[in-house]
Amino acid sequence: MLFQTVRDILKKECSLPEESKILAGISGGPDSVCMLDILSQLPYEIVVGHLNHNLRPSSSDEMAFVEQLAAKYSLKFIGKSLNILEISKAKKAGVEETARNERYHFLFDIAEKENANGVVVAHQADDQVETFLENLLRGAGLEGLTGMKVYSISEFNSGIPLIRPLLNTWREEILSYCQSHHLEYKLDETNQSLVYTRSSIRNHLLPELIRYNPNFKNTLLRTQQVLAADFDFLQDSLQTSFKSIQLLVKNESVEINLKSFKDLPVSMQRLVIKEIFEKYFDTMEITSYSSIEYARKMLTRELRRTSLDLSDQLNIFISGSNGVFTERKVLETKERWPWLASELTILAQPGKNPISENWGLEIEEILNTQIDFDLHQNADAFTGFFDKEKMDEKITFRTWVKGDRFRPLGMKGKSTKLTDFWINKKIPSLARKGWPLAINRDAIFWIPGLQQNNETRVTANTKNILILKVKRVSKER
């Protein structure tokens, strides 16, 4: 019965044709020994992989046992030893998490080198129940409660599937198979320990829950299947949601429309944020529920913040009608926007002046008769053309202060609050605080990169034109 189950899963559910190459992750326990025995009877080329975590005195013996087991079936064996304790300390991660991640990295590395069609591991139905409870206790969201899948594409490799042919089989049936086929296996002594979370769940929590409901494990699996179906529905709807929020992916950022995002159901808002975190930003610590919820509330304006640092790597800020996800290092370099280090007063005459580490100002002066193109067609907003006679001899550059107003060219002399101007131009708050403003005669006459005012514009009566250019400074290497 079990043989047929595994065969049908590999052939029908996973569509593995005969003579496919499979990398089997074998620990030496009853589950993996049972799986390997069945695999050896199927028409596949099997490579056995084993990672020695060096977490127990018997680890080396288990590795030798798996190597002998592979030889028994005349299969290729590839083993590796790691010091998981040292790795977990270096990465500041839990031992169980580190062991899991290192094992999968090892297995998929072998699978790639061996050109395998799949990585097969021996998780079974009891593991599924324990995983559900473990995820529930740590506060996982819907995806974490859907459990493992028989066939999946994992985070460890986008091209090689991860297959669990025993996932719907209970531990009792596996032990019965091993006994009836006289299969030897190794027992992990930490399985009886209450030190590790998984072992504690298996030996303490689960028996208590079964005492309340003898059919608890089957009930939990049914619940998990319902949650998995719900999550699959949300995943299918995710791409539609991305279109509705006008997802815009740039080199260093991801932008979404705030109004459309707010119109999404809360569950989809969370899923959108999680997908953006995982797909576009290489950081794992921000995928917790609290981080996702904090970001969601800022983007829906439930939190009256315009900027949020979620980790050492990621910042989210409000830019006009959009929410922008970007790496903090992009913001901190002050290279993305023009940046003024401190207030600066200069003579309105030709020359070059640094205004910050990465930005400089160039001034030129020409006669109006020397202009050979239509100034209205100037495509470089960081270059401004001004009537020199309408300006004093000194120009001051400063950053904005509360109460600043501006008379943009094209508004027929009407003024607007600078804060409203920033919003209309979709300038994020992080950029505004260092943006240089050109001041003359106690008024803002130019905002580099954006617009100049009405009073200093060049007209037919202009004789001398002052050209101001704010440019990034080329650093010598």
Side-chain angles (χ1 to χ4, degrees):
M1 180 66 177
L2 188 51
F3 172 85
Q4 183 177 340
T5 298
V6 173
R7 182 191 62 187
D8 290 347
I9 285 174
L10 293 174
K11 186 176 181 180
K12 297 177 181 178
E13 288 191 42
C14 302
S15 301
L16 274 180
E18 294 186 358
E19 299 181 3
S20 294
K21 197 171 189 178
I22 295 174
L23 188 282
I26 305 300
S27 67
D31 304 335
S32 63
V33 168
C34 168
M35 182 183 74
L36 185 61
D37 185 74
I38 295 173
L39 290 176
S40 69
Q41 302 173 56
L42 296 172
Y44 299 112
E45 181 181 352
I46 311 297
V47 177
V48 175
H50 176 86
L51 181 65
N52 177 6
H53 295 148
N54 284 299
L55 290 174
R56 306 181 312 279
S58 59
S59 293
S60 297
D61 291 340
E62 288 171 2
M63 185 172 181
F65 171 76
V66 174
E67 186 172 8
Q68 293 169 5
L69 195 63
K72 168 187 170 182
Y73 295 111
S74 301
L75 302 175
K76 183 176 180 178
F77 170 81
I78 301 176
K80 183 178 180 180
S81 292
L82 290 177
N83 190 321
I84 295 298
L85 284 176
E86 286 187 3
I87 296 173
S88 67
K89 288 177 183 178
K91 293 186 175 182
K92 297 180 180 179
V95 174
E96 291 176 284
E97 177 190 359
T98 303
R100 173 187 177 274
N101 289 339
E102 293 299 327
R103 180 178 186 238
Y104 279 123
H105 281 305
F106 164 70
L107 293 176
F108 279 102
D109 284 347
I110 296 175
E112 277 197 348
K113 292 174 183 176
E114 293 291 322
N115 294 316
N117 302 100
V119 170
V120 181
V121 292
H123 290 123
Q124 30 82 351
D126 289 88
D127 292 324
Q128 186 81 301
V129 170
E130 293 162 10
T131 298
F132 180 95
L133 293 173
E134 187 175 22
N135 289 343
L136 183 66
L137 290 171
R138 68 178 178 83
L142 180 58
E143 183 179 7
L145 298 180
T146 58
M148 298 176 282
K149 292 180 172 60
V150 170
Y151 180 98
S152 64
I153 298 298
S154 72
E155 63 193 88
F156 301 96
N157 193 291
S158 60
I160 302 174
L162 179 62
I163 301 170
R164 301 177 175 96
L166 297 178
L167 195 57
N168 297 320
T169 304
W170 294 108
R171 183 177 289 122
E172 291 178 3
E173 186 177 353
I174 291 170
L175 291 173
S176 176
Y177 181 95
C178 290
Q179 183 178 6
S180 62
H181 289 77
H182 308 290
L183 300 178
E184 294 183 14
Y185 51 79
K186 296 290 184 179
L187 288 176
D188 181 350
E189 59 266 30
T190 61
N191 284 342
Q192 302 304 316
S193 170
L194 299 183
V195 174
Y196 295 109
T197 303
R198 177 60 69 95
S199 298
S200 182
I201 289 172
R202 178 183 303 147
N203 297 298
H204 182 70
L205 177 60
L206 195 51
E208 280 295 305
L209 293 171
I210 293 173
R211 192 165 66 85
Y212 285 94
N213 177 5
N215 200 36
F216 174 76
K217 292 197 295 184
N218 285 304
T219 301
L220 190 149
L221 280 188
R222 287 198 302 270
T223 301
Q224 203 166 41
Q225 291 166 1
V226 171
L227 293 176
D230 290 345
F231 183 74
D232 287 343
F233 172 78
L234 287 174
Q235 284 290 104
D236 291 340
S237 304
L238 185 60
Q239 295 308 314
T240 302
S241 296
F242 274 155
K243 290 180 182 178
S244 73
I245 63 174
Q246 302 165 42
L247 182 77
L248 179 61
V249 180
K250 299 182 178 179
N251 288 335
E252 299 170 331
S253 65
V254 174
E255 297 186 15
I256 62 173
N257 180 270
L258 293 176
K259 183 181 182 304
S260 300
F261 177 80
K262 190 174 182 179
D263 290 339
L264 293 175
V266 172
S267 59
M268 185 55 68
Q269 290 173 357
R270 291 173 181 146
L271 193 59
V272 163
I273 293 171
K274 186 174 186 294
E275 184 76 3
I276 290 174
F277 285 171
E278 294 182 347
K279 187 173 183 179
Y280 300 106
F281 297 95
D282 185 22
T283 179
M284 294 299 293
E285 70 269 22
I286 58 174
T287 56
S288 67
Y289 174 84
S290 58
S291 296
I292 291 171
E293 189 66 1
Y294 205 20
R296 187 191 71 79
K297 287 184 176 180
M298 193 193 85
L299 294 170
T300 58
R301 314 309 293 130
E302 294 172 59
L303 290 177
R304 305 306 298 174
R305 297 189 58 165
T306 57
S307 177
L308 176 65
D309 289 332
L310 278 178
S311 70
D312 292 339
Q313 291 84 26
L314 183 67
N315 173 272
I316 304 175
F317 62 86
I318 305 300
S319 175
S321 60
N322 285 354
V324 182
F325 299 71
T326 190
E327 292 185 13
R328 284 184 63 187
K329 64 182 180 181
V330 175
L331 301 177
E332 292 168 354
T333 61
K334 300 175 183 177
E335 294 179 354
R336 183 174 183 181
W337 303 289
W339 192 269
L340 182 67
S342 59
E343 187 170 310
L344 176 70
T345 299
I346 58 175
L347 292 175
Q349 61 185 31
K352 295 183 178 181
N353 302 272
I355 63 175
S356 68
E357 181 183 356
N358 303 301
W359 294 84
L361 169 71
E362 291 184 10
I363 301 179
E364 298 177 21
E365 184 180 337
I366 62 173
L367 297 173
N368 193 2
T369 54
Q370 293 178 282
I371 292 292
D372 58 359
F373 67 95
D374 184 358
L375 294 182
H376 292 94
Q377 300 300 316
N378 175 31
D380 181 8
F382 285 101
T383 298
F385 298 84
F386 308 94
D387 188 326
K388 187 178 181 182
E389 278 66 41
K390 296 176 182 176
M391 300 173 64
D392 290 339
E393 291 184 355
K394 291 184 178 180
I395 299 172
T396 296
F397 279 86
R398 65 165 173 82
T399 55
W400 78 290
V401 295
K402 188 175 182 179
D404 270 340
R405 298 188 72 88
F406 181 48
R407 297 179 185 274
L409 183 64
M411 286 187 62
K412 300 179 180 179
K414 294 180 180 179
S415 70
T416 181
K417 290 180 180 179
L418 187 55
T419 50
D420 293 337
F421 180 81
W422 290 133
I423 292 170
N424 290 334
K425 292 295 184 179
K426 300 182 179 179
I427 303 301
S429 58
L430 286 173
R432 301 173 199 172
K433 63 181 182 180
W435 204 292
L437 307 175
I439 312 295
N440 194 264
R441 298 182 181 180
D442 297 323
I444 300 171
F445 73 89
W446 183 43
I447 304 179
L450 298 172
Q451 208 159 346
Q452 74 177 81
N453 73 351
N454 191 63
E455 287 79 1
T456 58
R457 72 189 188 281
V458 174
T459 67
N461 298 321
T462 300
K463 294 180 181 179
N464 295 300
I465 296 176
L466 206 63
I467 305 175
L468 303 184
K469 298 179 180 180
V470 170
K471 304 171 68 174
R472 284 186 174 86
V473 176
S474 298
K475 297 180 179 180
E476 295 184 5
R477 296 183 182 276

Tab-separated table of all heavy atoms in Angstrom, residues 84-93 98:
chain	number	residue	atom	x	y	z
A	84	ILE	N	27.162	22.977	13.121
A	84	ILE	CA	25.963	23.806	13.118
A	84	ILE	C	25.950	24.795	14.282
A	84	ILE	O	25.494	25.929	14.143
A	84	ILE	CB	24.697	22.927	13.154
A	84	ILE	CG1	24.590	22.108	11.867
A	84	ILE	CG2	23.443	23.769	13.340
A	84	ILE	CD1	24.462	22.950	10.603
A	85	LEU	N	26.483	24.382	15.436
A	85	LEU	CA	26.508	25.288	16.586
A	85	LEU	C	27.318	26.546	16.289
A	85	LEU	O	26.889	27.660	16.601
A	85	LEU	CB	27.083	24.568	17.810
A	85	LEU	CG	26.158	23.567	18.513
A	85	LEU	CD1	26.898	22.872	19.648
A	85	LEU	CD2	24.908	24.266	19.041
A	86	GLU	N	28.486	26.361	15.684
A	86	GLU	CA	29.327	27.512	15.357
A	86	GLU	C	28.659	28.393	14.300
A	86	GLU	O	28.698	29.623	14.385
A	86	GLU	CB	30.696	27.044	14.850
A	86	GLU	CG	31.596	26.501	15.957
A	86	GLU	CD	32.997	26.211	15.446
A	86	GLU	OE1	33.270	26.482	14.253
A	86	GLU	OE2	33.825	25.725	16.239
A	87	ILE	N	28.035	27.761	13.317
A	87	ILE	CA	27.363	28.517	12.254
A	87	ILE	C	26.187	29.310	12.816
A	87	ILE	O	25.978	30.477	12.462
A	87	ILE	CB	26.891	27.572	11.126
A	87	ILE	CG1	28.094	26.922	10.446
A	87	ILE	CG2	26.049	28.324	10.100
A	87	ILE	CD1	27.735	25.847	9.447
A	88	SER	N	25.412	28.685	13.701
A	88	SER	CA	24.254	29.369	14.279
A	88	SER	C	24.690	30.566	15.117
A	88	SER	O	24.028	31.613	15.115
A	88	SER	CB	23.420	28.402	15.123
A	88	SER	OG	24.133	27.979	16.267
A	89	LYS	N	25.803	30.429	15.837
A	89	LYS	CA	26.311	31.550	16.631
A	89	LYS	C	26.784	32.686	15.724
A	89	LYS	O	26.527	33.862	15.984
A	89	LYS	CB	27.465	31.082	17.519
A	89	LYS	CG	27.021	30.198	18.682
A	89	LYS	CD	28.223	29.712	19.487
A	89	LYS	CE	27.778	28.768	20.606
A	89	LYS	NZ	28.956	28.243	21.362
A	90	ALA	N	27.479	32.317	14.653
A	90	ALA	CA	27.988	33.334	13.721
A	90	ALA	C	26.848	34.083	13.048
A	90	ALA	O	26.931	35.296	12.817
A	90	ALA	CB	28.888	32.676	12.679
A	91	LYS	N	25.773	33.361	12.720
A	91	LYS	CA	24.625	33.979	12.045
A	91	LYS	C	23.591	34.526	13.018
A	91	LYS	O	22.580	35.102	12.589
A	91	LYS	CB	23.972	32.957	11.114
A	91	LYS	CG	24.845	32.546	9.932
A	91	LYS	CD	24.084	31.641	8.971
A	91	LYS	CE	24.924	31.342	7.736
A	91	LYS	NZ	24.192	30.495	6.753
A	92	LYS	N	23.836	34.310	14.321
A	92	LYS	CA	22.900	34.752	15.366
A	92	LYS	C	21.494	34.218	15.093
A	92	LYS	O	20.497	34.939	15.162
A	92	LYS	CB	22.886	36.276	15.456
A	92	LYS	CG	24.233	36.866	15.871
A	92	LYS	CD	24.186	38.374	15.948
A	92	LYS	CE	25.552	38.930	16.376
A	92	LYS	NZ	25.567	40.411	16.444
A	93	ALA	N	21.441	32.933	14.750
A	93	ALA	CA	20.168	32.267	14.446
A	93	ALA	C	20.019	31.042	15.342
A	93	ALA	O	20.990	30.561	15.935
A	93	ALA	CB	20.120	31.851	12.974
A	98	THR	N	19.065	26.963	11.763
A	98	THR	CA	20.341	26.860	11.048
A	98	THR	C	20.532	25.471	10.456
A	98	THR	O	20.956	25.324	9.298
A	98	THR	CB	21.513	27.184	11.996
A	98	THR	OG1	21.329	28.486	12.541
A	98	THR	CG2	22.841	27.126	11.262
